[in-house]
Amino acid sequence: MKTVAETYGISPARADEIYTRLIEWLAENKRYRRPDCTAEAFSLHAGLHRSYISAAVRMGGGGSFSEMVGRLRVRDACRLLRAPRHAALSAEEIGIAAGFSSRQSFYNAFRKYTGRTPRAYREEGLSGRETATGAETSAAD
């Protein structure tokens, strides 16, 4: 079975370079929140074929570009849900602010990466219980 590097014809060093550039691009002004945050947009920005981006994401963090962006958005939503200054916002408003296009896409991704609903997550935070999740700490730091 071929490795990702063999499949895409990219060296691990080149994949690391692309992955680092991608993380910086996503973090710049919280670009991951924007609807135009796509692999195609980064491909145009970086002057790279999309297959190199796919390979870099798979080699650097696992999964796909959209999964990576979803993890970043969920991590952002976790912070927003726990922030007292955002207590008046609904979970749906938090999801939209974090970059999700709809309530359903937000709830699906949130449950996938945290194992609970945004409301349950917020309530646990208000009650003072610790609820460390991979989405809060691991998404492309």
Side-chain angles (χ1 to χ4, degrees):
M1 181 175 206
K2 285 185 172 183
T3 66
V4 174
E6 292 168 335
T7 300
Y8 291 98
I10 185 171
S11 73
R14 180 74 171 130
D16 285 346
E17 175 191 326
I18 294 168
Y19 188 76
T20 299
R21 287 176 60 194
L22 173 59
I23 295 298
E24 291 168 354
W25 183 78
L26 288 169
E28 184 180 300
N29 298 316
K30 297 186 179 179
R31 180 172 280 137
Y32 58 85
R33 287 182 172 180
R34 297 176 13 195
D36 65 345
C37 180
T38 63
E40 291 80 17
F42 180 69
S43 174
L44 291 172
H45 167 78
L48 297 166
H49 191 277
R50 192 163 180 267
S51 65
Y52 287 111
I53 296 162
S54 295
V57 171
R58 291 201 186 288
M59 293 169 74
S64 68
F65 180 90
S66 62
E67 289 169 331
M68 181 177 171
V69 170
R71 286 190 306 266
L72 288 169
R73 289 174 176 169
V74 168
R75 185 178 70 176
D76 198 25
C78 286
R79 284 193 295 260
L80 295 172
L81 286 165
R82 294 278 175 91
R85 70 181 183 170
H86 298 298
L89 295 176
S90 70
E92 183 175 355
E93 291 169 319
I94 296 278
I96 299 301
F100 289 95
S101 60
S102 69
R103 179 184 184 278
Q104 183 174 357
S105 65
F106 172 50
Y107 274 66
N108 289 343
F110 199 91
R111 184 175 287 281
K112 176 181 178 179
Y113 295 116
T114 68
R116 54 186 136 337
T117 65
R119 181 178 177 174
Y121 181 87
R122 178 181 260 173
E123 288 173 356
E124 290 170 2
L126 295 175
S127 71
R129 289 186 288 191
E130 282 298 314
T131 58
T133 69
E136 294 171 76
T137 58
S138 68
D141 284 322

